[in-house]
């Protein structure tokens, strides 16, 4: 595939397929959506991934520094999204927001994350994705939590109430842009037992990183931040580019699609060593 036009050089921190997108194997008309972090407020960007063309952008209600985006097929399709304040604070609002698809990006409401703004649960929310089995949200805490640990927490969240159902943490990989904006839920991985896996970089810098494949079954019932256990990580991968957003193609060959600061890449299947740029 060819690279995107230079006018589309943006920081797309979220990445999500809509309408059964097939990415690099898709016919023209297949949509790919990203949520940037380079501007204030940040835009949701829509591409035709079948012919490598940008189509439309819009600013969702309340958008600040974009961090997470997830497509939900309910009601004809809409987007969940999260944001934080601009540098240097990168603080969240304790909410998970809903918007219609581009070009409207009309407000559709919001749910609290856990106990909501200002509570015991962290307010700084990063990447998110939907569980293909039960429709719950998997959400990555943006900063380490509790503060002073190296814990990047992954949460299973009821998308109706916002209640945190289960959680586990992966080690914070650090870097100069600490904050977890990379998460994708994957059913099955080659060479691994059957199950659901949560792929995340654990809040690393976008320059180099490892992708952890955390076993979703290792998340336990959530009670307090201090009681969250470590995730079981049976395998990790070293992609050839640093990533700011990831998602998987929805039909075979199930390649990993990722963004860095400028481009969209097809990284092939595990161990994700492809480098075909869109």
């Amino acid at each position: 595939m060819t690279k995107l036009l230079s006018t589309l050089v943006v920081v797309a921190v979220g990445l999500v397929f809509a309408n059964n997108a097939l990415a690099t194997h898709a016919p023209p008309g297949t949509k790919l959506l990203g949520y940037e972090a380079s501007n204030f407020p940040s835009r949701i960007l829509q591409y035709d991934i079948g012919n490598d063309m940008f189509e439309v952008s819009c600013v969702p209600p309340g958008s600040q520094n974009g961090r997470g985006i997830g497509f939900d097929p309910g009601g004809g399709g809409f987007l969940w999204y999260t944001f934080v304040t601009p540098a240097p604070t990168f603080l969240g609002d304790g909410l998970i927001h809903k918007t219609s698809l581009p070009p409207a990006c009309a407000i559709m409401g919001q749910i609290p994350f856990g106990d909501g703004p200002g509570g015991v649960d962290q307010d700084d929310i990063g990447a998110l994705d939907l569980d293909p089995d039960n429709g719950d949200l998997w959400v990555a805490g943006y900063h380490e939590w509790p503060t002073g640990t190296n814990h990047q927490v992954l949460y299973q969240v009821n998308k109706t109430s916002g209640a945190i159902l289960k959680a586990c943490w992966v080690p914070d990989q650090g870097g100069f842009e600490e904050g977890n904006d990379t998460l994708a839920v994957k059913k099955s991985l080659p060479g691994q037992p059957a199950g659901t896996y949560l792929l995340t970089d654990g809040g690393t810098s976008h320059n180099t990183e490892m992708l952890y494949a955390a076993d979703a079954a290792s998340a336990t019932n959530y009670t307090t931040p201090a009681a969250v256990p470590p995730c079981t990580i049976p395998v990790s991968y070293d992609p050839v580019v640093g990533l700011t957003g990831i998602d998987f193609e929805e039909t075979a060959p199930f390649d990993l699609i990722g963004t860095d600061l400028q481009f969209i890449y097809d990284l092939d299947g595990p161990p994700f060593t492809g480098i075909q740029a869109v």
Side-chain angles (χ1 to χ4, degrees), residues 56-84:
V56 66
S57 68
C58 57
V59 176
S63 177
Q64 297 187 42
N65 196 326
R67 291 294 141 181
I69 184 173
F71 175 74
D72 193 313
F78 63 90
L79 299 172
W80 297 98
Y81 67 101
T82 65
F83 52 77
V84 295

Side-chain angles (χ1 to χ4, degrees), residues 114-129:
D115 57 10
V120 173
D121 301 323
Q122 69 180 120
D123 289 345
D124 312 315
I125 311 305
L128 57 83
D129 202 1

Side-chain angles (χ1 to χ4, degrees), residues 39-54:
N39 294 328
F40 179 79
S42 297
R43 301 171 297 170
I44 289 176
L45 305 157
Q46 178 175 301
Y47 307 90
D48 184 331
I49 203 70
N51 60 21
D52 309 342
M53 295 297 296
F54 169 75

